Amino acid sequence: IALFVSLRKRVGSFAKLGSFDGWRVMHIALGLLVIFALVGHTGMRFGHGLNFWLMTSFSLMLVLGALSTAVIALEHRIGGALAKRLRRQSVYLHIFLFWPVPALLGWHITKVYWY
Protein backbone atom coordinates (compact mmCIF):
# COMPACT_ATOMS: atom_id res chain seq x y z
CA ILE A 1 0.00 0.00 0.00
CA ALA A 2 2.83 2.36 0.85
CA LEU A 3 4.23 1.91 -2.67
CA PHE A 4 1.35 4.01 -4.02
CA VAL A 5 3.35 7.10 -3.03
CA SER A 6 5.93 6.09 -5.60
CA LEU A 7 3.23 5.40 -8.19
CA ARG A 8 1.65 8.78 -7.54
CA LYS A 9 4.94 10.47 -8.42
CA ARG A 10 5.46 8.46 -11.60
CA VAL A 11 2.07 7.49 -13.07
CA GLY A 12 -0.18 10.26 -14.35
CA SER A 13 -3.51 8.66 -13.41
CA PHE A 14 -2.42 8.36 -9.76
CA ALA A 15 -1.29 12.01 -9.68
CA LYS A 16 -4.91 13.14 -9.65
CA LEU A 17 -5.67 11.27 -6.41
CA GLY A 18 -5.05 13.67 -3.53
CA SER A 19 -2.09 15.86 -2.70
CA PHE A 20 1.46 14.59 -2.50
CA ASP A 21 1.74 15.74 1.11
CA GLY A 22 -1.34 13.67 1.99
CA TRP A 23 0.19 10.60 0.36
CA ARG A 24 3.47 11.21 2.20
CA VAL A 25 1.65 11.41 5.55
CA MET A 26 -0.20 8.19 4.70
CA HIS A 27 3.13 6.51 3.84
CA ILE A 28 4.61 7.57 7.19
CA ALA A 29 1.49 6.45 9.10
CA LEU A 30 1.61 3.05 7.37
CA GLY A 31 5.31 2.80 8.23
CA LEU A 32 4.55 3.38 11.90
CA LEU A 33 1.72 0.84 11.77
CA VAL A 34 4.10 -1.67 10.20
CA ILE A 35 6.65 -1.11 12.98
CA PHE A 36 4.03 -1.88 15.64
CA ALA A 37 2.81 -4.93 13.70
CA LEU A 38 6.38 -6.16 13.24
CA VAL A 39 7.17 -5.87 16.94
CA GLY A 40 3.89 -7.57 17.82
CA HIS A 41 4.41 -10.36 15.29
CA THR A 42 8.09 -11.10 15.93
CA GLY A 43 8.93 -9.68 19.35
CA MET A 44 11.97 -8.33 17.45
CA ARG A 45 13.41 -11.85 17.16
CA PHE A 46 15.22 -12.12 13.84
CA GLY A 47 14.85 -15.87 13.37
CA HIS A 48 17.06 -18.04 11.17
CA GLY A 49 17.72 -18.54 7.48
CA LEU A 50 15.44 -16.63 5.13
CA ASN A 51 13.40 -15.32 8.06
CA PHE A 52 16.59 -13.65 9.31
CA TRP A 53 17.14 -12.02 5.92
CA LEU A 54 13.50 -10.92 5.76
CA MET A 55 13.71 -9.34 9.19
CA THR A 56 17.10 -7.76 8.46
CA SER A 57 15.99 -6.28 5.15
CA PHE A 58 12.68 -5.10 6.58
CA SER A 59 14.25 -3.57 9.69
CA LEU A 60 16.94 -1.76 7.71
CA MET A 61 14.27 -0.52 5.29
CA LEU A 62 12.28 0.90 8.22
CA VAL A 63 15.36 2.53 9.76
CA LEU A 64 16.32 4.13 6.44
CA GLY A 65 12.72 5.26 5.95
CA ALA A 66 12.89 7.03 9.31
CA LEU A 67 16.27 8.48 8.39
CA SER A 68 14.86 9.69 5.06
CA THR A 69 11.97 11.33 6.88
CA ALA A 70 14.37 13.08 9.25
CA VAL A 71 16.58 14.28 6.40
CA ILE A 72 13.56 15.59 4.48
CA ALA A 73 12.23 17.34 7.60
CA LEU A 74 15.62 18.94 8.34
CA GLU A 75 16.57 19.62 4.72
CA HIS A 76 16.05 23.36 5.10
CA ARG A 77 18.43 23.44 8.08
CA ILE A 78 21.12 21.26 6.51
CA GLY A 79 20.89 23.12 3.23
CA GLY A 80 22.78 22.89 -0.03
CA ALA A 81 24.39 19.95 -1.71
CA LEU A 82 24.80 17.95 1.52
CA ALA A 83 21.04 17.91 2.16
CA LYS A 84 20.32 16.94 -1.43
CA ARG A 85 22.89 14.13 -1.35
CA LEU A 86 21.70 12.79 2.04
CA ARG A 87 18.09 12.86 0.89
CA ARG A 88 18.82 11.08 -2.38
CA GLN A 89 21.02 8.42 -0.78
CA SER A 90 18.67 7.67 2.11
CA VAL A 91 15.61 7.43 -0.15
CA TYR A 92 17.41 5.22 -2.71
CA LEU A 93 18.69 2.91 0.02
CA HIS A 94 15.18 2.76 1.52
CA ILE A 95 13.79 1.72 -1.87
CA PHE A 96 16.69 -0.67 -2.57
CA LEU A 97 16.14 -2.52 0.71
CA PHE A 98 12.48 -3.03 -0.20
CA TRP A 99 13.29 -5.08 -3.31
CA PRO A 100 13.89 -8.45 -1.61
CA VAL A 101 10.98 -8.03 0.82
CA PRO A 102 8.14 -9.27 -1.44
CA ALA A 103 10.01 -12.48 -2.33
CA LEU A 104 11.15 -13.11 1.25
CA LEU A 105 7.71 -12.31 2.65
CA GLY A 106 6.09 -14.56 0.05
CA TRP A 107 8.41 -17.40 1.09
CA HIS A 108 7.71 -16.71 4.78
CA ILE A 109 3.94 -16.91 4.24
CA THR A 110 4.22 -20.00 1.99
CA LYS A 111 6.43 -21.77 4.55
CA VAL A 112 4.01 -21.04 7.39
CA TYR A 113 1.05 -22.53 5.49
CA TRP A 114 3.08 -25.34 3.87
CA TYR A 115 4.46 -26.77 7.09
Side-chain angles (χ1 to χ4, degrees):
I1 293 171
L3 288 174
F4 283 116
V5 171
S6 182
L7 286 175
R8 191 204 179 280
K9 286 174 65 175
R10 290 165 181 81
V11 178
S13 59
F14 280 96
K16 299 172 187 166
L17 300 173
S19 69
F20 182 72
D21 290 337
W23 282 85
R24 183 177 280 167
V25 168
M26 184 179 72
H27 185 89
I28 293 168
L30 285 170
L32 290 171
L33 181 66
V34 164
I35 290 170
F36 290 120
L38 185 68
V39 169
H41 178 68
T42 65
M44 292 310 290
R45 291 180 298 275
F46 275 61
H48 302 284
L50 292 177
N51 286 336
F52 172 80
W53 290 111
L54 171 62
M55 186 68 169
T56 300
S57 179
F58 208 74
S59 296
L60 287 173
M61 179 188 66
L62 290 169
V63 167
L64 277 164
L67 177 66
S68 298
T69 301
V71 167
I72 290 168
L74 298 173
E75 192 171 18
H76 67 284
R77 287 190 174 175
I78 299 170
L82 176 62
K84 190 174 184 177
R85 188 176 78 234
L86 285 174
R87 179 180 182 167
R88 188 178 326 117
Q89 288 175 348
S90 63
V91 169
Y92 282 147
L93 283 172
H94 176 67
I95 293 167
F96 177 76
L97 286 168
F98 178 77
W99 287 3
V101 169
L104 291 168
L105 187 58
W107 172 251
H108 176 74
I109 293 168
T110 300
K111 183 180 72 165
V112 166
Y113 286 106
W114 191 279
Y115 298 106

